[in-house]
Amino acid sequence: RIDVIEKMGHLDRSDAASKKHDYFNAHYYAMLAWRLARDTDPNKALALRKAAEAWNHVSEGTDKFTEQGDLARYQTKRAGYEAIQNGDYLKAYYIFLAEYEKEKAAKSGGIDPDVERFLEVARKGLLESFFFIDETANIRLFESARDVFFVNRRSDDTVDAIFIRGMTFMRTAGKDVAYLRDLEIARLTRDGKTVWRISVPYAKMFPFEQDGQSRPELILHAVDRNRVGEDVLPAVIEGALPPQERSVLLLDMPYSDLDLIVAANRGPQGMSLAEMFLISKKAEKYGFSRDLYQREIINRIAEPFLILILSIYALILGWKYRLGKNSFFRAWWALAIPLFPIITLFAIETVRYLARLCIVAFVGLAPERALVPTIVFLTVCFLIVSISFFAQRSD
């Protein structure tokens, strides 16, 4: 199994680091192995013992470094490492960043490899709950969707009303990511009362994988890449936002539905038939009209039938009003040429309008089975004009 191989690899790295007296990394890898091991795994106790031994050496290091004149750097590394172990990656990032910049500016003995390594560890941990403000620079130029509004009916009977001024989709390091500009979210109770309402200039969205399902995870808390204290947090407009949702908000919906929601905000005219079939099944969950999409689906299916019926009827008219054997072309008939396209367009649009009225009636009477009476109606019309066409006789 992959987790077993990874766990043993971490134990080997911990042993290798201990032999080099690199006790920070020895403790770090031992703790990774301990987290991966199951409670019944004997290696779990082994990993914890190795971590304890390494931490004892880390604790003893203060006295040793006092003699070497490197106490300040050691205390900084220890404070940053303790922040990582406590899960406070934001604090650890700024601690190691400050030490990195300090050593880089000194240009004396190079940069401590522990500082470089744990700065990267802290950065990766930070980006699971925060994002850097400078990631949104010029992102507005690449927006693929704007003014997106939908509601999300949650499993606890509350509803999230979500408005996004602009959305930018991209792929980073093999993962889907989206930036949401001027995001506003209101959580409402079943009877329409506001639980809380927030707005944030930018949010970052990832697909969050859990139990084989992918849901949108919104990171709402932005930080400065170089300076502490320049945070951008959601502004609470109304109500009280729970602390656990102040930085990260998980939407109760499939991530794949976002493409359908963006398409639905452009209107049915800009959607493919397949997209409308999919959104019609979930329209009410996201605050859209199911009947609207069903009518548009049936309209598109009915369109080729209408054209076929009109074409046959045009053949009937052409045969009925054809020139006789002794009839000759008259010049004034040319005046009808510019009027013919207008009359034809008027006739086609009139038939389309009447067909839409019938479809609206069918959808209103039987939303789930509206396609069946529509097809039956079109089939009857087709049979009538076909019989009329074959009934035509020459003089």
Side-chain angles (χ1 to χ4, degrees):
R1 292 175 52 182
I2 296 176
D3 57 342
V4 174
I5 296 173
E6 189 175 1
K7 174 188 62 183
M8 297 307 297
H10 290 323
L11 287 174
D12 291 340
R13 293 187 189 98
S14 178
D15 290 336
S18 294
K19 292 176 182 178
K20 296 177 182 178
H21 305 290
D22 184 2
Y23 298 112
F24 279 110
N25 276 321
H27 181 267
Y28 176 74
Y29 286 118
M31 290 302 295
L32 285 180
W34 178 78
R35 293 189 184 100
L36 285 173
R38 297 182 178 181
D39 293 338
T40 57
D41 189 342
N43 286 316
K44 191 175 184 71
L46 175 63
L48 188 61
R49 187 175 73 251
K50 290 180 179 293
E53 291 173 357
W55 190 250
N56 287 335
H57 286 290
V58 170
S59 301
E60 294 170 358
T62 303
D63 297 332
K64 296 179 180 179
F65 279 111
T66 300
E67 300 174 359
Q68 299 174 14
D70 208 7
L71 179 60
R73 176 189 289 183
Y74 181 81
Q75 289 177 334
T76 299
K77 286 167 58 177
R78 179 171 175 175
Y81 183 75
E82 287 179 344
I84 288 177
Q85 292 302 308
N86 293 331
D88 192 349
Y89 292 102
L90 184 62
K91 178 181 178 181
Y93 173 79
Y94 287 121
I95 289 175
F96 284 113
L97 179 65
E99 183 63 26
Y100 178 86
E101 295 295 339
K102 178 181 176 182
E103 294 181 11
K104 185 178 179 181
K107 297 180 180 179
S108 54
I111 297 173
D112 188 330
D114 284 343
V115 173
E116 285 187 304
R117 168 166 176 75
F118 289 119
L119 174 60
E120 181 62 16
V121 170
R123 188 189 70 83
K124 289 181 178 178
L126 177 152
L127 291 177
E128 293 180 1
S129 302
F130 308 90
F131 68 98
F132 294 120
I133 298 171
D134 57 16
E135 294 179 39
T136 61
N138 301 319
I139 204 72
R140 186 171 180 176
L141 300 174
F142 306 99
E143 288 179 351
S144 57
R146 290 180 178 173
D147 297 333
V148 176
F149 175 78
F150 65 99
V151 299
N152 177 36
R153 304 185 190 281
R154 294 163 48 85
S155 56
D156 59 0
D157 282 342
T158 58
V159 177
D160 288 343
I162 302 170
F163 175 75
I164 307 166
R165 182 68 66 185
M167 299 181 70
T168 305
F169 292 93
M170 57 179 60
R171 195 163 179 81
T172 304
K175 293 180 62 177
D176 291 328
V177 60
Y179 292 93
L180 315 180
R181 176 173 62 88
D182 291 339
L183 171 67
E184 186 169 330
I185 305 176
R187 180 160 294 175
L188 310 172
T189 60
R190 191 173 186 179
D191 55 0
K193 295 181 180 178
T194 302
V195 180
W196 50 258
R197 180 183 168 201
I198 62 170
S199 67
V200 62
Y202 275 100
K204 191 174 183 179
M205 181 173 67
F206 291 101
F208 176 77
E209 304 290 340
Q210 186 179 38
D211 300 329
Q213 296 182 343
S214 180
R215 294 193 291 166
E217 181 183 55
L218 304 182
I219 300 180
L220 307 175
H221 190 164
V223 297
D224 191 277
R225 191 181 296 271
N226 301 309
R227 294 188 301 276
V228 64
E230 301 291 331
D231 297 25
V232 178
L233 285 162
V236 180
I237 302 173
E238 189 177 354
L241 182 65
Q244 65 271 22
E245 295 184 323
R246 185 171 290 273
S247 295
V248 179
L249 181 64
L250 192 62
L251 299 184
D252 190 8
M253 59 178 287
Y255 187 86
S256 58
D257 285 356
L258 286 169
D259 290 335
L260 292 176
I261 290 170
V262 170
N265 274 269
R266 298 192 184 107
Q269 293 75 17
M271 300 177 67
S272 67
L273 197 59
E275 288 175 332
M276 284 192 293
F277 266 118
L278 292 174
I279 194 65
S280 64
K281 299 177 182 178
K282 308 175 181 181
E284 294 182 349
K285 171 178 170 58
Y286 299 120
F288 300 107
S289 171
R290 180 186 60 177
D291 292 353
L292 174 66
Y293 295 104
Q294 287 184 334
R295 290 197 297 268
E296 184 64 24
I297 289 169
I298 297 174
N299 279 331
R300 292 196 188 181
I301 293 175
E303 182 72 11
F305 289 94
L306 291 175
I307 298 300
L308 178 60
I309 292 169
L310 285 172
S311 299
I312 296 174
Y313 188 71
L315 291 174
I316 294 173
L317 292 177
W319 180 263
K320 188 173 183 179
Y321 296 104
R322 70 191 185 281
L323 290 176
K325 293 180 180 179
N326 299 321
S327 300
F328 298 97
F329 180 79
R330 290 175 175 80
W332 64 268
W333 290 354
L335 297 175
I337 295 176
L339 296 176
F340 183 77
I342 299 175
I343 295 171
T344 303
L345 180 62
F346 177 78
I348 292 174
E349 292 302 324
T350 300
V351 171
R352 282 175 172 167
Y353 176 74
L354 294 174
R356 290 191 184 101
L357 288 180
C358 293
I359 291 170
V360 168
F362 292 147
V363 172
L365 293 173
E368 299 295 336
R369 298 179 296 275
L371 184 60
V372 175
T374 303
I375 296 297
V376 171
F377 175 75
L378 291 171
T379 302
V380 171
C381 293
F382 174 73
L383 291 175
I384 291 173
V385 295
S386 297
I387 293 170
S388 299
F389 175 71
F390 287 114
Q392 301 300 311
R393 295 290 184 269
S394 60
D395 295 336

